[in-house]
Each structure stands twice: as structure tokens, then as C-alpha cells.
């Protein structure tokens, strides 16, 4: 089923993201992780496409497994780790396996790497156009509520986002954020630019202190004082930090749903227990798939 059809429904959807293994020997274990998350009955599950190593080779395999578990799958596809020839190969494989959804991304540029090379796409919009021409896929894209780190300002970033939507991007998923007000302000700015596709809110449950430091260094996200206080108090106690991180993410999701945001995407980091804990916390709020 296409994600665009799922997001058209006037009901709450909660989806999850997982990432593939770096080595083929781990593939069965990662399929088992996908199966555990599928048991939670998310609206769909997306599988990332690694910028380095062998992870990109297993995205199609994991997405195919997700479909077999009865949950719609999204396969990520990036410019950074793909030549044009590789992109066409992957699109062909997805088509053959009946995977209808692709999240088109530029991807993070690895350090000490020349990008783009002559046989690579420069921007996600080029990838979107290529996918659009190649088949009947539902194409999603990424957006940054705090602005893309490489954009001069939010206005410029939104202009590029509008170009992606006009090129055929049917829905957007946000980078993680820890303050819902940032997301709400972003929605108003996006609508003012004429961006009217569904914008799914990306929530990452931070369950250990090291994750906070890594997240800030990679994304530059604003981390509210309220959350930093949780890390300061519980960061040295792994069990307590995990529980507090799950509670914080749950609170974010409840606030989003209460304010009319229907579509939530959990960056589950391949942790079925964390995704399950959040779903359990929402057992009387997210009831569509529980019945």
C-alpha cells in the first residue's frame, strides 16, 4: 500500500524507522528486529539507506521482509551513496519486489569524500525526478523544522522544499526535534510557502546520554532545558535514562496528537522494546491498529 493513501485518512498514524545491517551475516537478525516492530502494527516501516559501508546493499532485502510481515515498507534511497547506475538498479529491484514507497534523500556527505562525482545526483530533487520517471512509486522526502544546516536561512530552505514537492514529493518526514513548538512554527511557514502535503513529525526517543551528544553534534538540534535536566539527572543510570527518554518521547507524541497532528514517525533505532513501550503508553490514544 502506498504511504500517500495511508496519510490521506483522517486518523492517527504511528510509523517506525529501522536501519539495515553493515554485514550480510547479520541480515537474519535484522529481519527479526523488523518482524518484532511489525508486530506492533505501525502504519508503515521505513528502512534507511547507508551512506557508507555495505548497509545500502540490504535496504531492499529488509524492505521486502517488512512487506512480507503485512506492513507497508518504505525504502530509503540517497544521492550520496549511489551512482546513477546504482539508483536504476535499486529502483528495478524495488519494482520487482512490489515495494511501492521510496524516501528520496540527498543523504549526509561523509567526511573526506568528494561529492558529487560526475556519475552521482547532486540534490534530492534530481533523484525525485528520476524515480518519478522510472515507475509508479509513492515518493517521500525529508524536511528540517529547524532549517537545513547548509541552508543560508529558513526561507531559502523552504524554497528548496517547495521545489521537491512540486517535482513529485507526496509527503514529508521531519528530522527529529525535541521541542514541539519548533514543529508547529515550521508547519505555518511551510503552508505559507504553498507546501500542503502531509508533514509527518519525526520523534526520536533518546534512551542514553551518549545519544544526546551524538544527536547534537550531527544535527545541531535545539535541546530544551527540560530535556537536558533529564539527561543531567538520569544520564548515569541507564535504566532510568531509558525510562525517562521513553516518557519524554511519549509526552511529545501526546501533545502533537492533542494539537491535531495525526502522523507520527518514531526513529526507533532498531529497538523494538523502546517502540513497544511508547505504543503501550499510547494504548488508549492510538487505537486504530489495536482493535
Amino acid at each position: 500500500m502506498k504511504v500517500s493513501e495511508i496519510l490521506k485518512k483522517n486518523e492517527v498514524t504511528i510509523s517506525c524507522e529501522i536501519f539495515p545491517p553493515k554485514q550480510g551475516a547479520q541480515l537474519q537478525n535484522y529481519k527479526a528486529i523488523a518482524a518484532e516492530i511489525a508486530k506492533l502494527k505501525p502504519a508503515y516501516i521505513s528502512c534507511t539507506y547507508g551512506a557508507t559501508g555495505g548497509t545500502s546493499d540490504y535496504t531492499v532485502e529488509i524492505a521486502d521482509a517488512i512487506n512480507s510481515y503485512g506492513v507497508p515498507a518504505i525504502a530509503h534511497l540517497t544521492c550520496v551513496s549511489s551512482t546513477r547506475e546504482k539508483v536504476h538498479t535499486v529502483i528495478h529491484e524495488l519494482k520487482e519486489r512490489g515495494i511501492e514507497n521510496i524516501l528520496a534523500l540527498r543523504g549526509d556527505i561523509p567526511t573526506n569524500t568528494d561529492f558529487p562525482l560526475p556519475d552521482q545526483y547532486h540534490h534530492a530533487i534530481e533523484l525525485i525526478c528520476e524515480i518519478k520517471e522510472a515507475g509508479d512509486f509513492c515518493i517521500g522526502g525529508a524536511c528540517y523544522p529547524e532549517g537545513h544546516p547548509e541552508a543560508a536561512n529558513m526561507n531559502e530552505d523552504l524554497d528548496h522544499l517547495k521545489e521537491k514537492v512540486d517535482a513529485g514529493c507526496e509527503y514529508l518526514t521531519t528530522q527529529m526535534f525535541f521541542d514541539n513548538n519548533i514543529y508547529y512554527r515550521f508547519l505555518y511557514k511551510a503552508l505559507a510557502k504553498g507546501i500542503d502535503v502531509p508533514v509527518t513529525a519525526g520523534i526520536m526517543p533518546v534512551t542514553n546520554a551518549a545519544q544526546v551528544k551524538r544527536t547534537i553534534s550531527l544535527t545541531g538540534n535545539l535541546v530544551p532545558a527540560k530535556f537536558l535536566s533529564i539527561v543531567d539527572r538520569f544520564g548515569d543510570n541507564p535504566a532510568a535514562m531509558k525510562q525517562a527518554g521513553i516518557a519524554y518521547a511519549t509526552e511529545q507524541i501526546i501533545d502533537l496528537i492533542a494539537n491535531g497532528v495525526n502522523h507520527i514517525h518514531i526513529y526507533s533505532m532498531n529497538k523494538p522494546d523502546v517502540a513497544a513501550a511508547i505504543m503501550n503508553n499510547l494504548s488508549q490514544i492510538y487505537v486504530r491498529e489495536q482493535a
Side-chain angles (χ1 to χ4, degrees), residues 127-193:
L127 189 56
I128 290 167
C129 292
E130 200 83 356
I131 296 167
K132 195 78 176 172
E133 291 177 4
D136 184 24
F137 292 99
C138 171
I139 306 170
C143 59
Y144 294 76
E146 297 175 58
H148 194 286
E150 296 174 26
N153 51 55
M154 178 62 81
N155 192 57
E156 177 188 284
D157 190 30
L158 287 168
D159 284 338
H160 292 314
L161 193 61
K162 181 66 164 62
E163 290 172 0
K164 288 200 294 187
V165 171
D166 290 344
C169 187
E170 298 178 61
Y171 70 94
L172 299 165
T173 302
T174 75
Q175 172 67 270
M176 69 195 78
F177 57 89
F178 300 102
D179 181 346
N180 287 359
N181 289 320
I182 291 172
Y183 172 79
Y184 298 139
R185 287 194 294 269
F186 174 78
L187 290 183
Y188 283 117
K189 292 174 183 177
L191 281 172
K193 284 285 185 180

Coordinates of all heavy atoms in Angstrom, one line a residue, residues 127-193:
L127 N 16.9 13.2 -7.8 CA 16.6 11.8 -7.5 C 15.0 11.6 -7.6 O 14.5 10.6 -8.1 CB 17.1 11.4 -6.1 CG 17.0 10.0 -5.7 CD1 17.7 9.1 -6.7 CD2 17.6 9.8 -4.3
I128 N 14.3 12.6 -7.1 CA 12.8 12.5 -7.1 C 12.3 12.5 -8.6 O 11.5 11.6 -8.9 CB 12.2 13.7 -6.4 CG1 12.4 13.6 -4.9 CG2 10.7 13.9 -6.7 CD1 12.2 14.9 -4.1
C129 N 12.9 13.3 -9.4 CA 12.5 13.3 -10.8 C 12.8 12.0 -11.5 O 12.0 11.5 -12.3 CB 13.2 14.5 -11.6 SG 12.7 16.1 -11.1
E130 N 14.0 11.4 -11.2 CA 14.4 10.1 -11.8 C 13.4 9.0 -11.3 O 13.0 8.2 -12.2 CB 15.8 9.8 -11.4 CG 16.5 8.8 -12.2 CD 17.1 9.4 -13.5 OE1 16.9 10.6 -13.7 OE2 17.7 8.7 -14.2
I131 N 13.1 9.0 -10.1 CA 12.2 8.0 -9.5 C 10.8 8.1 -10.2 O 10.1 7.1 -10.6 CB 12.1 8.0 -8.0 CG1 13.4 7.7 -7.4 CG2 11.0 7.1 -7.5 CD1 13.5 8.1 -5.9
K132 N 10.4 9.4 -10.3 CA 9.0 9.7 -10.9 C 8.9 9.1 -12.3 O 7.9 8.6 -12.7 CB 8.8 11.2 -10.9 CG 7.4 11.6 -11.1 CD 6.6 11.5 -9.8 CE 5.2 12.0 -10.0 NZ 4.3 11.7 -8.9
E133 N 10.0 9.2 -13.1 CA 10.0 8.8 -14.4 C 10.1 7.2 -14.5 O 9.7 6.6 -15.5 CB 11.2 9.4 -15.2 CG 11.1 10.9 -15.4 CD 12.3 11.5 -16.1 OE1 13.2 10.7 -16.5 OE2 12.3 12.7 -16.3
A134 N 10.7 6.6 -13.5 CA 11.0 5.2 -13.6 C 9.8 4.3 -13.2 O 9.9 3.1 -13.5 CB 12.2 4.9 -12.6
G135 N 8.8 4.8 -12.6 CA 7.7 3.9 -12.2 C 6.7 4.6 -11.3 O 6.8 5.7 -10.9
D136 N 5.7 3.8 -10.9 CA 4.6 4.3 -10.2 C 4.8 4.2 -8.7 O 4.2 3.3 -8.0 CB 3.3 3.6 -10.6 CG 2.1 4.1 -9.9 OD1 2.1 5.3 -9.5 OD2 1.1 3.4 -9.7
F137 N 5.8 4.9 -8.2 CA 6.2 4.9 -6.8 C 5.5 6.1 -6.0 O 5.3 7.1 -6.6 CB 7.7 5.0 -6.6 CG 8.4 3.8 -7.1 CD1 9.0 3.8 -8.3 CD2 8.5 2.6 -6.3 CE1 9.7 2.7 -8.8 CE2 9.2 1.5 -6.8 CZ 9.8 1.6 -8.0
C138 N 5.3 5.9 -4.7 CA 5.0 7.0 -3.8 C 6.3 7.5 -3.3 O 7.1 6.7 -2.7 CB 4.1 6.5 -2.7 SG 3.8 7.7 -1.4
I139 N 6.6 8.8 -3.5 CA 7.9 9.3 -3.2 C 7.7 10.3 -2.0 O 6.9 11.2 -2.0 CB 8.4 10.1 -4.4 CG1 8.5 9.2 -5.6 CG2 9.8 10.6 -4.0 CD1 8.9 9.9 -6.9
G140 N 8.5 10.0 -1.0 CA 8.6 10.9 0.2 C 9.9 11.7 0.2 O 10.8 11.3 -0.5
G141 N 9.9 12.7 1.1 CA 11.1 13.5 1.3 C 11.3 13.8 2.7 O 10.4 13.7 3.5
A142 N 12.5 14.4 3.0 CA 12.8 14.9 4.3 C 12.7 16.4 4.4 O 12.9 17.1 3.4 CB 14.2 14.4 4.7
C143 N 12.5 16.8 5.7 CA 12.5 18.3 5.9 C 13.0 18.6 7.3 O 13.1 17.7 8.1 CB 11.1 18.9 5.7 SG 9.8 18.2 6.9
Y144 N 13.4 19.8 7.5 CA 14.1 20.2 8.7 C 13.4 21.3 9.4 O 13.5 22.5 9.0 CB 15.6 20.6 8.4 CG 16.4 19.5 7.8 CD1 16.3 19.0 6.5 CD2 17.4 18.9 8.6 CE1 17.0 18.0 6.0 CE2 18.2 17.9 8.1 CZ 18.0 17.4 6.8 OH 18.7 16.4 6.3
P145 N 12.7 21.0 10.5 CA 11.9 22.1 11.2 C 12.8 23.2 11.7 O 12.3 24.3 11.8 CB 11.3 21.3 12.4 CG 11.2 19.9 11.9 CD 12.4 19.7 11.1
E146 N 14.1 22.9 11.9 CA 15.0 24.0 12.4 C 15.8 24.5 11.3 O 16.7 25.3 11.5 CB 15.9 23.4 13.5 CG 15.0 23.0 14.8 CD 15.9 22.3 15.8 OE1 16.8 22.9 16.3 OE2 15.5 21.2 16.2
G147 N 15.5 24.1 10.0 CA 16.2 24.6 8.9 C 17.4 23.6 8.6 O 18.1 23.1 9.5
H148 N 17.6 23.4 7.3 CA 18.7 22.5 6.9 C 20.0 23.2 7.3 O 20.2 24.4 7.1 CB 18.7 22.3 5.4 CG 19.6 21.2 4.9 ND1 21.0 21.3 4.9 CD2 19.3 19.9 4.5 CE1 21.5 20.2 4.4 NE2 20.5 19.3 4.2
P149 N 21.0 22.5 7.9 CA 22.2 23.1 8.3 C 23.0 23.8 7.2 O 23.8 24.7 7.5 CB 23.0 21.9 9.0 CG 22.3 20.7 8.5 CD 20.9 21.0 8.2
E150 N 22.8 23.4 6.0 CA 23.6 24.0 4.9 C 22.8 25.2 4.2 O 23.4 25.8 3.3 CB 23.9 22.9 3.8 CG 24.8 21.8 4.4 CD 25.1 20.7 3.4 OE1 25.0 21.0 2.2 OE2 25.3 19.6 3.8
A151 N 21.6 25.4 4.6 CA 20.8 26.5 4.0 C 21.2 27.8 4.7 O 21.5 27.9 5.9 CB 19.3 26.2 4.2
A152 N 21.2 28.9 3.9 CA 21.5 30.2 4.4 C 20.5 30.7 5.5 O 20.9 31.3 6.4 CB 21.6 31.2 3.3
N153 N 19.2 30.3 5.3 CA 18.2 30.7 6.2 C 17.0 29.8 6.0 O 16.9 29.0 5.0 CB 17.8 32.2 6.1 CG 17.5 32.6 4.7 OD1 16.7 32.0 4.0 ND2 18.2 33.6 4.2
M154 N 16.0 29.9 6.8 CA 14.8 29.1 6.7 C 14.0 29.3 5.4 O 13.5 28.4 4.8 CB 13.9 29.3 7.9 CG 12.6 28.5 7.9 SD 12.8 26.7 7.8 CE 13.1 26.4 9.6
N155 N 14.0 30.6 5.0 CA 13.3 30.9 3.8 C 13.9 30.2 2.6 O 13.1 29.7 1.7 CB 13.3 32.5 3.6 CG 12.4 32.9 2.5 OD1 11.2 32.7 2.6 ND2 12.9 33.6 1.5
E156 N 15.2 30.2 2.5 CA 15.8 29.5 1.4 C 15.6 28.0 1.4 O 15.3 27.4 0.4 CB 17.3 29.8 1.4 CG 18.1 29.0 0.3 CD 19.6 29.1 0.5 OE1 20.2 30.2 0.2 OE2 20.2 28.1 1.0
D157 N 15.6 27.5 2.7 CA 15.4 26.0 2.8 C 14.0 25.7 2.4 O 13.7 24.6 1.7 CB 15.6 25.7 4.3 CG 15.6 24.2 4.5 OD1 16.0 23.4 3.6 OD2 15.2 23.7 5.6
L158 N 13.0 26.5 2.7 CA 11.6 26.2 2.4 C 11.4 26.4 0.9 O 10.6 25.6 0.3 CB 10.7 27.2 3.1 CG 10.5 26.9 4.6 CD1 9.8 28.0 5.3 CD2 9.7 25.6 4.8
D159 N 12.1 27.2 0.2 CA 12.0 27.4 -1.2 C 12.5 26.1 -1.9 O 11.8 25.6 -2.8 CB 12.9 28.5 -1.7 CG 12.3 29.9 -1.5 OD1 11.1 29.9 -1.3 OD2 13.0 30.9 -1.5
H160 N 13.6 25.5 -1.4 CA 14.1 24.2 -2.0 C 13.1 23.1 -1.7 O 12.9 22.2 -2.5 CB 15.4 23.9 -1.4 CG 16.5 24.8 -1.8 ND1 16.7 25.1 -3.1 CD2 17.5 25.4 -1.1 CE1 17.7 25.9 -3.3 NE2 18.3 26.1 -2.1
L161 N 12.5 23.1 -0.5 CA 11.5 22.1 -0.1 C 10.3 22.2 -1.0 O 9.7 21.2 -1.5 CB 11.1 22.3 1.3 CG 10.3 21.2 2.0 CD1 11.1 19.9 2.0 CD2 9.9 21.6 3.4
K162 N 9.8 23.4 -1.4 CA 8.7 23.6 -2.3 C 9.1 23.0 -3.7 O 8.2 22.4 -4.3 CB 8.4 25.1 -2.4 CG 7.2 25.4 -3.3 CD 5.9 24.8 -2.8 CE 4.7 25.4 -3.5 NZ 4.5 25.2 -4.9
E163 N 10.3 23.2 -4.1 CA 10.7 22.6 -5.4 C 10.6 21.1 -5.4 O 10.2 20.5 -6.3 CB 12.2 23.0 -5.7 CG 12.3 24.5 -6.0 CD 13.8 24.9 -6.1 OE1 14.7 24.0 -5.9 OE2 14.1 26.1 -6.3
K164 N 11.0 20.5 -4.2 CA 10.9 19.0 -4.1 C 9.4 18.5 -4.2 O 9.1 17.6 -4.9 CB 11.5 18.5 -2.8 CG 13.0 18.6 -2.8 CD 13.6 17.7 -1.7 CE 13.3 18.0 -0.3 NZ 14.0 17.2 0.7
V165 N 8.6 19.3 -3.5 CA 7.1 18.9 -3.5 C 6.6 19.1 -5.0 O 5.9 18.2 -5.5 CB 6.3 19.8 -2.5 CG1 4.9 19.6 -2.7 CG2 6.8 19.4 -1.1
D166 N 6.9 20.2 -5.6 CA 6.5 20.4 -7.0 C 7.0 19.3 -8.0 O 6.3 19.0 -9.0 CB 6.9 21.8 -7.5 CG 6.1 22.9 -6.7 OD1 5.1 22.6 -6.1 OD2 6.6 24.1 -6.8
A167 N 8.2 18.8 -7.6 CA 8.8 17.7 -8.5 C 8.1 16.4 -8.4 O 8.3 15.5 -9.2 CB 10.2 17.6 -8.2
G168 N 7.3 16.2 -7.3 CA 6.6 14.9 -7.1 C 6.7 14.3 -5.8 O 6.2 13.2 -5.6
C169 N 7.2 15.0 -4.8 CA 7.3 14.5 -3.4 C 5.9 14.6 -2.8 O 5.3 15.7 -2.7 CB 8.3 15.3 -2.6 SG 8.6 14.7 -1.0
E170 N 5.4 13.5 -2.4 CA 4.0 13.4 -1.9 C 3.7 13.6 -0.5 O 2.6 13.8 0.0 CB 3.3 12.1 -2.4 CG 3.3 11.9 -3.9 CD 2.8 10.6 -4.3 OE1 1.6 10.3 -4.0 OE2 3.5 9.8 -4.9
Y171 N 4.8 13.4 0.3 CA 4.7 13.7 1.8 C 6.1 14.0 2.3 O 7.1 13.7 1.6 CB 4.1 12.5 2.5 CG 5.0 11.3 2.5 CD1 5.8 11.0 3.6 CD2 5.0 10.4 1.4 CE1 6.7 9.9 3.6 CE2 5.8 9.3 1.4 CZ 6.7 9.1 2.5 OH 7.5 8.0 2.5
L172 N 6.2 14.5 3.5 CA 7.5 14.8 4.1 C 7.6 14.2 5.5 O 6.6 14.1 6.2 CB 7.7 16.4 4.2 CG 7.6 17.1 2.8 CD1 7.4 18.6 3.1 CD2 8.9 16.9 2.0
T173 N 8.8 13.9 5.9 CA 9.0 13.4 7.2 C 10.1 14.3 7.8 O 11.1 14.6 7.2 CB 9.5 12.0 7.3 OG1 8.5 11.1 6.6 CG2 9.7 11.5 8.7
T174 N 9.9 14.8 9.0 CA 10.8 15.8 9.6 C 12.0 15.1 10.2 O 11.9 13.9 10.7 CB 10.2 16.6 10.7 OG1 10.0 15.9 11.9 CG2 8.8 17.2 10.3
Q175 N 13.1 15.8 10.2 CA 14.2 15.5 11.1 C 13.7 15.5 12.5 O 12.7 16.1 12.8 CB 15.3 16.5 10.9 CG 16.5 16.4 11.8 CD 17.3 15.2 11.6 OE1 17.0 14.2 12.2 NE2 18.3 15.2 10.7
M176 N 14.4 14.7 13.4 CA 13.9 14.7 14.8 C 13.9 16.1 15.4 O 14.7 17.0 15.0 CB 14.8 13.8 15.6 CG 16.3 14.3 15.8 SD 17.4 13.1 16.3 CE 17.7 12.2 14.8
F177 N 13.1 16.3 16.3 CA 13.0 17.6 17.1 C 12.6 17.3 18.5 O 11.9 16.2 18.7 CB 12.1 18.6 16.5 CG 10.7 18.1 16.3 CD1 9.7 18.3 17.3 CD2 10.3 17.5 15.1 CE1 8.4 17.8 17.2 CE2 9.0 17.0 15.0 CZ 8.1 17.2 16.0
F178 N 13.0 18.1 19.5 CA 12.7 17.8 20.9 C 11.8 18.9 21.5 O 11.5 18.8 22.7 CB 14.0 17.7 21.6 CG 14.9 16.6 21.1 CD1 16.0 16.9 20.3 CD2 14.6 15.3 21.4 CE1 16.8 15.9 19.8 CE2 15.4 14.2 20.9 CZ 16.5 14.5 20.1
D179 N 11.4 19.9 20.7 CA 10.5 20.9 21.2 C 9.4 21.0 20.1 O 9.6 21.4 19.0 CB 11.3 22.3 21.3 CG 10.4 23.4 21.8 OD1 9.2 23.3 21.8 OD2 11.0 24.5 22.1
N180 N 8.2 20.7 20.5 CA 7.1 20.6 19.6 C 6.7 22.0 19.0 O 6.2 22.1 17.9 CB 5.8 20.1 20.2 CG 5.9 18.6 20.4 OD1 6.9 17.9 20.1 ND2 4.9 18.0 21.0
N181 N 7.1 23.1 19.7 CA 6.8 24.4 19.2 C 7.6 24.7 17.9 O 7.1 25.4 17.0 CB 7.1 25.5 20.2 CG 6.1 25.4 21.4 OD1 4.9 25.3 21.1 ND2 6.5 25.6 22.6
I182 N 8.7 24.1 17.8 CA 9.5 24.2 16.6 C 8.8 23.6 15.4 O 8.7 24.2 14.3 CB 10.9 23.6 16.8 CG1 11.8 24.4 17.8 CG2 11.7 23.4 15.4 CD1 13.1 23.7 18.2
Y183 N 8.2 22.5 15.6 CA 7.4 21.8 14.6 C 6.2 22.6 14.2 O 5.9 22.8 13.0 CB 7.0 20.4 15.0 CG 6.1 19.7 14.1 CD1 6.6 19.0 13.0 CD2 4.7 19.6 14.4 CE1 5.7 18.3 12.1 CE2 3.8 18.9 13.6 CZ 4.3 18.3 12.4 OH 3.5 17.6 11.6
Y184 N 5.5 23.1 15.2 CA 4.3 23.9 14.9 C 4.6 25.1 14.1 O 3.9 25.5 13.1 CB 3.6 24.3 16.2 CG 3.1 23.1 17.0 CD1 3.2 23.1 18.4 CD2 2.5 22.0 16.4 CE1 2.8 22.1 19.2 CE2 2.1 20.9 17.2 CZ 2.2 21.0 18.6 OH 1.8 19.9 19.3
R185 N 5.7 25.8 14.4 CA 6.1 27.0 13.7 C 6.5 26.7 12.3 O 6.2 27.4 11.3 CB 7.2 27.8 14.4 CG 6.8 28.5 15.7 CD 7.9 29.4 16.2 NE 9.1 28.8 16.6 CZ 9.3 28.4 17.8 NH1 8.4 28.6 18.8 NH2 10.4 27.8 18.2
F186 N 7.1 25.5 12.1 CA 7.6 25.1 10.8 C 6.4 24.8 9.9 O 6.4 25.2 8.7 CB 8.4 23.8 10.9 CG 8.8 23.2 9.6 CD1 9.8 23.7 8.8 CD2 8.1 22.1 9.2 CE1 10.1 23.2 7.6 CE2 8.4 21.5 7.9 CZ 9.4 22.0 7.2
L187 N 5.3 24.2 10.4 CA 4.1 23.9 9.6 C 3.5 25.2 9.1 O 3.1 25.3 7.9 CB 3.1 23.2 10.5 CG 3.4 21.7 10.8 CD1 2.2 21.2 11.6 CD2 3.7 20.9 9.6
Y188 N 3.4 26.3 9.9 CA 2.9 27.5 9.5 C 3.7 28.1 8.3 O 3.2 28.6 7.3 CB 2.8 28.5 10.6 CG 1.6 28.3 11.6 CD1 1.8 27.9 12.9 CD2 0.3 28.4 11.1 CE1 0.8 27.7 13.8 CE2 -0.8 28.1 12.0 CZ -0.5 27.8 13.3 OH -1.6 27.5 14.2
K189 N 5.0 28.1 8.5 CA 5.9 28.6 7.5 C 5.8 27.8 6.2 O 5.9 28.4 5.1 CB 7.4 28.6 8.0 CG 7.6 29.6 9.1 CD 9.0 29.5 9.7 CE 9.2 30.4 10.9 NZ 10.6 30.2 11.5
A190 N 5.7 26.5 6.3 CA 5.6 25.7 5.1 C 4.3 25.9 4.4 O 4.3 26.1 3.1 CB 5.7 24.2 5.5
L191 N 3.2 26.1 5.1 CA 1.9 26.4 4.4 C 2.0 27.7 3.7 O 1.4 27.9 2.7 CB 0.8 26.3 5.5 CG 0.3 25.0 5.9 CD1 -0.7 25.1 7.1 CD2 -0.4 24.3 4.7
A192 N 2.7 28.7 4.4 CA 2.8 30.0 3.7 C 3.5 29.9 2.4 O 3.3 30.8 1.5 CB 3.5 31.0 4.7
K193 N 4.4 28.9 2.3 CA 5.1 28.7 1.0 C 4.3 27.9 0.0 O 4.8 27.6 -1.1 CB 6.4 28.0 1.3 CG 7.5 28.9 1.9 CD 8.1 29.8 0.9 CE 9.3 30.6 1.4 NZ 9.8 31.6 0.4

